[in-house]
Amino acid sequence: MTLEVGVLGYRFMGKAHANALSRLSMFFPDAPDVERSVLVGRDEDALSDAADQLGFESIATDWEAVVDDVDVFYNLGPNHVHAEPSIAALEAGTSVFCEKPLAPTLVEAERMADAADKAGVPNGTAFNYRFIPAIQHAKGLLEAGELGEIHHVRGRYLQDWLVDPEAPWSWRNDAELAGSGALGDLGAHTVDLLRFLVGDDALAGEMERVSGHLQTFVDERPVEGSDEMRSVTVDDAYSAQVEFENGAMGTLEASRFATGHKNDHTIEIHGSDGSLRFSLERLNELEVLRADDNRGYETILVTDEDDPYVDHWWPPGHVLGWEHTFVHENYEFLSAVESDGAFEPSFQDGLAAQRVLEAIEASDEKREWVSIS
């Protein structure tokens, strides 16, 4: 059958997922047939232009009229509109894929995860970095025990798009709309990726407690196209120490003020028998150090045809990009929808990440270690 897809949101993430949906049948011939049925937003004129550009058949300005009229609902809007449309779609029996962080607050994330459990339909949280071939390769090494006992886990996500104090205010700078700043926007990715890589009981296990620090460097920003200044009510950067269930030590960090870093998501994992290192700015590579070779890391180019997903694309050595992660993610999610199977990362994974983010924020407020419930 053909899956009819409705998408709320048509800017950054809307374009990324529309591009992925358009490529599925070309590169993943076993993927479900998909119809980009309806694009949802508020501005009818902008919606019409976006629908033409992104290949949607129709538009709607009322999400309530859409959520029970499609097979799959993608909620790619700002954080504050994640909960209500997603819950309504789930209650209508529609599969839902939602951008990260799952919600601005832990309470809303719990409501969403509860609705997903009750609905019993496939649901997903948009942690696309799980689907990078190099990350999949790293997970294989970890699960095979090649790094031994995990001692240290490091994750940082550095950007610099807000270094200029004259950079305009956006919804991402508002706690009511976004929930948090770098913590939720970037930290959610890091938390999920570390849970994916070392969260198994045989590795580091879950994160148990955190000590966090949040910082806002610019307190107000200009509103684009006006003389108005608006307050920044979220963090520009965060850092956290983490204690894992099995005793591993972790450090997390993210910033929108890291001058010179555009989109640098770096993961390091050190074990008794080896280490690995990954950077999103070099996403086709994985650096691996094995215990029997202490002369330095080996750089592995993860582009061979037997590497995850690579056989769907180009000959070995022809690298993939950021946009391909969305194709892989959509392939896995829509395949789960077609078969009525389970998909990870689910809303429960989104909720697990939200619990860590909430604990980091609480730790900053209390100036003490906080356990993750």
Side-chain angles (χ1 to χ4, degrees), residues 145-148 271-276 288-296:
E146 294 202 22
L147 267 62
S272 58
D273 296 332
S275 301
L276 62 80
V288 179
L289 174 71
R290 303 178 192 278
D292 58 356
D293 184 3
N294 288 321
R295 295 177 63 86

Side-chain angles (χ1 to χ4, degrees), residues 153-169:
V153 180
R154 298 186 180 92
R156 68 177 193 181
Y157 204 150
L158 304 181
Q159 298 179 342
D160 68 357
W161 61 282
L162 282 182
V163 171
D164 183 358
E166 296 302 311
W169 184 95

Side-chain angles (χ1 to χ4, degrees), residues 36-316:
R36 282 164 279 165
S37 179
V38 55
L39 190 63
V40 184
R42 293 177 299 177
D43 185 323
E44 193 165 337
D45 291 337
L47 264 178
S48 295
D49 291 342
D52 289 341
Q53 178 187 7
L54 302 179
F56 283 83
E57 293 189 353
S58 63
I59 63 171
T61 56
D62 179 9
W63 58 260
E64 292 181 276
V66 173
V67 294
D68 62 350
D69 200 36
V70 293
D71 299 306
V72 190
F73 181 68
Y74 280 53
N75 190 335
L76 310 179
N79 302 350
H80 70 288
V81 296
H82 285 182
E84 298 309 324
S86 298
I87 291 171
L90 290 164
E91 290 177 344
T94 301
S95 297
V96 178
F97 187 82
C98 186
E99 254 306 319
K100 59 81 212 159
L102 190 58
T105 67
L106 180 59
V107 170
E108 288 176 294
E110 288 172 337
R111 288 179 57 219
M112 294 172 71
D114 183 58
D117 287 346
K118 289 179 179 176
V121 296
N123 55 89
T125 306
F127 291 122
N128 57 303
Y129 297 148
R130 288 193 182 201
F131 302 96
I132 298 171
I135 290 295
Q136 295 275 329
H137 185 71
K139 184 171 177 62
L141 295 177
L142 287 157
E143 289 184 339
E146 294 202 22
L147 267 62
E149 182 181 350
I150 304 303
H151 294 151
H152 292 283
V153 180
R154 298 186 180 92
R156 68 177 193 181
Y157 204 150
L158 304 181
Q159 298 179 342
D160 68 357
W161 61 282
L162 282 182
V163 171
D164 183 358
E166 296 302 311
W169 184 95
S170 74
W171 66 266
R172 295 182 186 275
N173 300 124
D174 188 295
E176 291 295 319
L177 304 179
S180 61
L183 176 64
D185 187 27
L186 307 179
H189 269 306
T190 305
V191 169
D192 179 74
L193 206 48
L194 295 180
R195 290 188 67 249
F196 176 64
L197 290 171
V198 300
D200 290 348
D201 290 341
L203 296 167
E206 291 286 358
M207 301 179 192
E208 284 203 329
R209 62 180 191 136
V210 295
S211 174
H213 175 53
L214 280 64
Q215 183 68 41
T216 302
F217 298 113
V218 174
D219 293 328
E220 61 178 11
R221 291 189 176 274
V223 176
E224 194 167 22
S226 76
D227 297 328
E228 180 187 356
M229 298 292 290
R230 195 167 293 180
S231 295
V232 174
T233 55
V234 299
D235 59 285
D236 290 320
Y238 90 95
S239 63
Q241 293 178 273
V242 180
E243 181 181 331
F244 285 83
E245 183 180 6
N246 292 343
M249 296 177 63
T251 57
L252 311 178
E253 178 188 12
S255 177
R256 295 165 168 171
F257 274 70
T259 305
H261 293 269
K262 302 305 176 187
N263 196 38
D264 186 9
H265 194 194
T266 301
I267 301 297
E268 279 190 87
I269 300 169
H270 302 284
S272 58
D273 296 332
S275 301
L276 62 80
R277 184 164 58 200
F278 168 83
S279 171
L280 184 61
E281 291 185 340
R282 303 181 68 90
L283 62 76
N284 291 278
E285 298 176 0
L286 183 68
E287 294 183 272
V288 179
L289 174 71
R290 303 178 192 278
D292 58 356
D293 184 3
N294 288 321
R295 295 177 63 86
Y297 284 80
E298 173 192 5
T299 299
I300 299 171
L301 188 62
V302 191
T303 60
D304 281 356
E305 61 183 359
D306 59 347
D307 288 322
Y309 303 115
V310 176
D311 61 318
H312 289 275
W313 297 102
W314 320 119

